[in-house]
Amino acid sequence: MSDMATSKVRNNLKMGLAAFGDELKRLLIIGIIIPILLTLPALYMQSRWVKYDKIIEKVVTSENTVDPFSNLTEKEMKFIEKMESDEGLYQLRSSLGFASFMLCGFLVALCIGNLMKNFYGAQAEMTFAVPCKKTVLFAAKFLASTLIIGFVFILFQIQTYMMDEGIGWKDGKFYRISYSYKEELTDTMTRFVREYSNIEINGMTFYFLLVIVAWLGLAFLLSLTGKLQKYMGTIPCAICICTTTVVLFFAAVAGILYGDSYDNVPLMLTAPVVLFVLDLLMIRKYDRVSS
Amino acid sequence: MNDLLKIDNLTRTYGKKKVLDGLDLTIGTGKIVGLLAPNGEGKTTFFRLVMGLLTKSDGTILIDGQEPSEVTNSYVSYLPDHYILGSFHSIRGAMKHMKKYFSDFDEEKALSLMKRLKFKPNQRLASLSKGQKEQVQLILFLSRKAKLYLLDEPLAAVDPATRDFIVQTILGSFGEENTVIISTHVVLDIELILDEVVMLKNGKVHLQGEADELRSKYGMTINDIFKEEFRFVEGGSENE
Amino acid sequence: MPWAFKENRPIFQQIYDMIVIRILNGTYPMGGKLPSVREMAEEAGVNPNTMQRAMSQLEDTGLAITNRTSGRIVTTDEELLKRIKREYAVAAVEDFLQEMGKLGMSQEDAVSLIQDIGGEKK
């Protein structure tokens, strides 16, 4: 008996991994290859910023406090000016940022589309009539989608930093070299110093969690529809679904938002975790939404 | 244990409507069974319940002694009545999927059947006609070495030549150690290959028996018996 | 000869009749091997169980003999074949005469008709 149980667990894991792999493969192009390609121009920009920072290094370490820029060549001066105010570079940065932003949106739409198609649409039989626990399948698909969405969001954030300013390494940590130089001393005498600031990924966390909650929330609503069709007619069912949607939306956004502003991680994670558990419970006894 | 499928008092509701209402059914091994009913009488619901794609409202379902689960799904091959290979690019991709998820999938058999219908593995699924897509799907699910095959309306929209191919394929996959349940509302197509006939009406088994015995008893073809029994419900509401 | 069924009689009986006729007309010769149940079922497009039932009936009447080494063979009992041939012929003639009766022809008229047509065919 325990042998059978072990083989059952092993089989479920194998199938879960297969489903995880399938989902990653499905998202390979839009979730991995294109984002990495979009990172290439950002890397180029970063190499410019590194060069820029090397020139600034000369200014910062200059002994000449009346005119610290005096020891730069004309070429170097031109380069600094270009990096700080060139129209073309600015356009490259903003269009690249826009492309990445669109990509994020498209990816989210694709993940949600996949969810609906796989779990509740015409493909449900292909997804669920396999020798694997439905909870395992659901978790595998969720993890794969989350991983890809997280990867793309973080990459998007890093791209933005790499395009906007140099990234340096100090005390075993990455820093943004923002406003690399700054005046000091008296009216006539100038000395430049670098300023470093932390790399923050927080800004993305809110949107990331929002997307995850949308994914899980949709799964919840759809499985709720599946359950309800067993017990009630279309109209009461619709009322239930609408009410749940509104409550879910407010609770989730409020939780993430307040958690974020008070830097309270457990509060921020409440909505996704609760939804995930609810989804698993509902999907365990799956009811296909009838078409 | 000789009963491959044992159903007791199976009930499933959609809101107030009872699509299956206390259905009792026992089916043994080594049979080709026709599940005959007009549309909307719960054939698809029945299959979905057996596959664990729906939960029952009441009753029991035992497949080879086990309730529907991931374990029973490993030896039940279910061909739905609609196209489900939409997320695959080519025939080969769909075959890879079958191989990955079903350890009883016989790739060689699938390939040889594909060859007979002149399909090539690298053919794009999107380039096939509706009928061809259904043929590919049928080949994939009949190429499993399952204990129980559930075929939901496999002959709904095929031309006569394909019909013969499908019937042959079903016969070729069938043996003493497995059972095939074919649902249809067009009885004529499969009349000759049925061992047993189960007719559903009002969510219950209305009539069950060996095909040849029913022919002797009524002195009619199964098709005629079916027409006789369902004369007043034809064109019933579509809700599966 | 194709397999064609009238579906209101049990299929296995119809198959049985068709195989008997094939044996009588020598399609399946005396002492020859019969194809396997599976082959014949696929060829006829019927359920193997139904074909099996027809085969069992063939064995019951003694027309087919199952041999452990060489499978199922057609009987070599000429007497039996003769008897069965006569049974089928009698049934066919009875049907024929009944039809003729419906047309208002007497038995003698029918016999002379057969002779006329038989003569023309020669």
Side-chain angles (χ1 to χ4, degrees):
Chain A
M1 187 61 212
S2 86
D3 258 12
M4 233 178 87
T6 325
S7 93
K8 231 167 113 173
V9 169
R10 195 180 304 138
N11 202 47
N12 272 314
L13 275 177
K14 203 179 112 197
M15 295 279 157
L17 268 176
F20 182 76
D22 279 354
E23 200 66 16
L24 286 189
K25 235 165 77 188
R26 207 199 304 272
L27 298 170
L28 180 71
I29 292 177
I30 184 155
I32 297 176
I33 294 178
I34 297 181
I36 287 177
L37 286 180
L38 280 177
T39 311
L40 296 179
L43 278 172
Y44 168 76
M45 274 305 292
Q46 183 57 213
S47 76
R48 303 287 85 193
W49 281 117
V50 169
K51 192 179 166 193
Y52 171 88
D53 198 53
K54 273 205 182 113
I55 298 169
I56 296 299
E57 174 92 18
K58 281 193 194 173
V59 182
V60 172
T61 52
S62 174
E63 296 295 317
N64 187 342
T65 48
V66 178
D67 181 10
F69 288 89
S70 61
N71 60 350
L72 298 187
T73 64
E74 201 171 315
K75 219 174 137 195
E76 285 172 329
M77 277 307 290
K78 265 204 175 136
F79 184 75
I80 285 187
E81 270 167 35
K82 190 182 170 196
M83 287 307 285
E84 284 174 358
S85 57
D86 186 73
E87 187 67 18
L89 278 182
Y90 174 76
Q91 267 168 14
L92 173 77
R93 273 150 62 181
S94 55
S95 57
L96 215 61
F98 183 67
S100 291
F101 177 73
M102 291 300 284
L103 183 81
C104 287
F106 192 61
L107 179 73
V108 171
L110 191 76
C111 282
I112 285 180
N114 269 346
L115 168 81
M116 294 188 70
K117 204 170 69 179
N118 277 318
F119 289 71
Y120 306 97
Q123 305 291 313
E125 279 82 3
M126 204 73 214
T127 312
F128 279 127
V130 294
C132 181
K133 269 200 187 342
K134 293 171 182 69
T135 44
V136 174
L137 286 170
F138 180 81
K141 300 243 170 198
F142 170 69
L143 281 180
S145 301
T146 307
L147 206 68
I148 295 283
I149 294 172
F151 171 74
V152 171
F153 273 42
I154 288 175
L155 209 60
F156 179 40
Q157 181 74 76
I158 291 173
Q159 273 173 28
T160 315
Y161 283 136
M162 287 203 300
M163 283 190 293
D164 287 351
E165 56 226 333
I167 293 175
W169 179 263
K170 207 179 144 205
D171 303 336
K173 257 174 147 180
F174 282 109
Y175 283 92
R176 293 190 296 159
I177 315 170
S178 44
Y179 306 105
S180 299
Y181 51 98
K182 181 177 161 187
E183 294 185 42
E184 259 190 10
L185 304 180
T186 61
D187 286 350
T188 49
M189 292 201 292
T190 320
R191 203 170 79 210
F192 284 82
V193 288
R194 273 205 196 78
E195 245 192 20
Y196 296 94
S197 59
N198 281 331
I199 286 186
E200 287 167 358
I201 313 276
N202 279 359
M204 287 317 264
T205 318
F206 175 71
Y207 294 105
F208 175 68
L209 280 180
L210 217 55
V211 169
I212 296 309
V213 162
W215 198 95
L216 289 168
L218 191 72
F220 177 77
L221 292 175
L222 285 165
S223 32
L224 186 69
T225 315
K227 293 272 163 237
L228 288 181
Q229 67 182 357
K230 197 167 166 182
Y231 303 107
M232 53 175 89
T234 318
I235 293 166
C237 180
I239 295 172
C240 269
I241 301 282
C242 288
T243 319
T244 318
T245 313
V246 173
V247 172
L248 215 63
F249 179 75
F250 277 109
V253 173
I256 299 172
L257 208 57
Y258 279 109
D260 190 30
S261 50
Y262 294 111
D263 238 348
N264 188 342
V265 178
L267 184 60
M268 267 168 85
L269 289 179
T270 306
V273 169
V274 167
L275 274 176
F276 184 62
V277 173
L278 281 177
D279 280 345
L280 286 184
L281 286 176
M282 300 262 255
I283 296 235
R284 201 169 61 91
K285 297 257 177 207
Y286 179 70
D287 269 284
R288 190 193 191 289
V289 178
S290 281
S291 40
Chain B
M1 190 159 12
N2 211 8
D3 301 335
L4 186 58
L5 189 61
K6 197 162 176 1
I7 312 274
D8 272 316
N9 188 35
L10 183 62
T11 303
R12 164 72 206 209
T13 55
Y14 285 95
K16 275 183 190 141
K17 191 179 174 194
K18 281 189 174 174
V19 174
L20 297 178
D21 183 11
L23 181 128
D24 296 309
L25 181 64
T26 303
I27 288 171
T29 308
K31 299 236 156 83
I32 298 182
V33 181
L35 184 67
L36 314 179
N39 284 329
E41 285 286 328
K43 299 185 298 269
T44 300
T45 297
F46 173 72
F47 284 155
R48 284 181 180 165
L49 283 163
V50 174
M51 292 313 290
L53 289 164
L54 279 176
T55 54
K56 63 202 179 201
S57 301
D58 198 7
T60 52
I61 304 171
L62 291 178
I63 312 149
D64 207 16
Q66 288 189 288
E67 298 216 8
S69 70
E70 77 269 22
V71 178
T72 59
N73 280 0
S74 71
Y75 52 75
V76 184
S77 184
Y78 171 44
L79 177 76
D81 60 350
H82 59 275
Y83 181 60
I84 60 169
L85 304 177
S87 56
F88 302 105
H89 181 71
S90 63
I91 292 181
R92 183 175 285 124
M95 276 192 10
K96 263 192 194 161
H97 179 94
M98 294 297 291
K99 216 172 142 187
K100 202 187 296 175
Y101 288 91
F102 300 105
S103 55
D104 60 358
F105 182 68
D106 182 348
E107 195 178 11
E108 270 172 42
K109 182 176 172 189
L111 281 171
S112 87
L113 287 171
M114 298 275 180
K115 214 172 164 187
R116 265 176 67 190
L117 282 187
K118 300 197 172 63
F119 289 126
K120 292 186 190 71
N122 52 3
Q123 223 164 335
R124 279 174 57 235
L125 283 164
S127 71
L128 302 177
S129 72
K130 187 170 177 284
Q132 287 176 316
K133 283 177 184 169
E134 277 172 13
Q135 287 164 22
V136 169
Q137 192 165 298
L138 178 98
I139 290 176
L140 290 181
F141 284 94
L142 281 179
S143 295
R144 285 183 58 193
K145 288 198 178 92
K147 281 188 197 168
L148 177 63
Y149 297 89
L150 306 175
L151 314 179
D152 198 359
E153 302 271 0
L155 300 158
V158 296
D159 56 87
T162 313
R163 191 209 78 98
D164 285 352
F165 170 81
I166 291 175
V167 167
Q168 298 259 315
T169 312
I170 293 171
L171 285 174
S173 309
F174 166 70
E176 279 170 24
E177 62 295 325
N178 55 39
T179 282
V180 184
I181 303 180
I182 309 171
S183 88
T184 187
H185 65 284
V186 190
V187 185
L188 206 53
D189 286 335
I190 54 162
E191 162 116 33
L192 284 179
I193 64 168
L194 296 182
D195 277 298
E196 247 184 77
V197 171
V198 175
M199 294 191 193
L200 296 186
K201 195 175 186 179
N202 301 328
K204 291 187 174 68
V205 172
H206 177 65
L207 194 147
Q208 181 182 9
E210 277 200 38
D212 270 348
E213 272 167 25
L214 291 176
R215 282 189 197 96
S216 306
K217 190 174 150 198
Y218 287 76
M220 286 195 264
T221 66
I222 302 294
N223 189 41
D224 289 336
I225 301 173
F226 179 74
K227 280 193 203 156
E228 196 71 19
E229 296 297 328
F230 290 100
R231 188 173 295 163
F232 301 106
V233 283
E234 263 181 52
S237 70
E238 187 105 11
N239 184 3
E240 295 196 37
Chain C
M1 188 177 69
W3 301 87
F5 299 99
K6 293 187 190 117
E7 285 151 353
N8 56 351
R9 265 183 69 210
I11 304 295
F12 82 94
Q13 275 174 13
Q14 298 184 51
I15 293 174
Y16 170 81
D17 287 347
M18 284 183 228
I19 298 175
V20 169
I21 288 166
R22 286 179 185 202
I23 290 173
L24 294 178
N25 68 20
T27 312
Y28 299 138
M30 268 206 292
K33 215 180 147 209
L34 283 170
S36 75
V37 167
R38 185 161 266 285
E39 275 171 66
M40 289 182 85
E42 276 200 42
E43 194 201 322
V46 299
N47 189 305
N49 293 331
T50 314
M51 186 57 79
Q52 177 61 46
R53 241 175 119 183
M55 289 293 190
S56 304
Q57 208 180 349
L58 280 175
E59 281 169 14
D60 290 346
T61 37
L63 279 169
I65 298 159
T66 301
N67 200 316
R68 204 162 275 166
T69 46
S70 53
R72 195 175 273 113
I73 56 166
V74 179
T75 180
T76 47
D77 183 346
E78 281 185 51
E79 280 304 308
L80 176 70
L81 281 185
K82 256 186 205 161
R83 208 182 71 225
I84 290 185
K85 192 175 240 166
R86 195 182 151 74
E87 274 174 26
Y88 274 73
V90 165
V93 168
E94 273 170 2
D95 280 351
F96 168 74
L97 289 177
Q98 208 179 343
E99 286 299 308
M100 292 301 107
K102 278 186 203 162
L103 295 173
M105 288 176 86
S106 69
Q107 203 161 311
E108 287 74 30
D109 291 341
V111 169
S112 70
L113 180 67
I114 290 174
Q115 277 166 348
D116 286 354
I117 293 174
E120 275 169 31
K121 279 209 172 158
K122 267 174 199 164

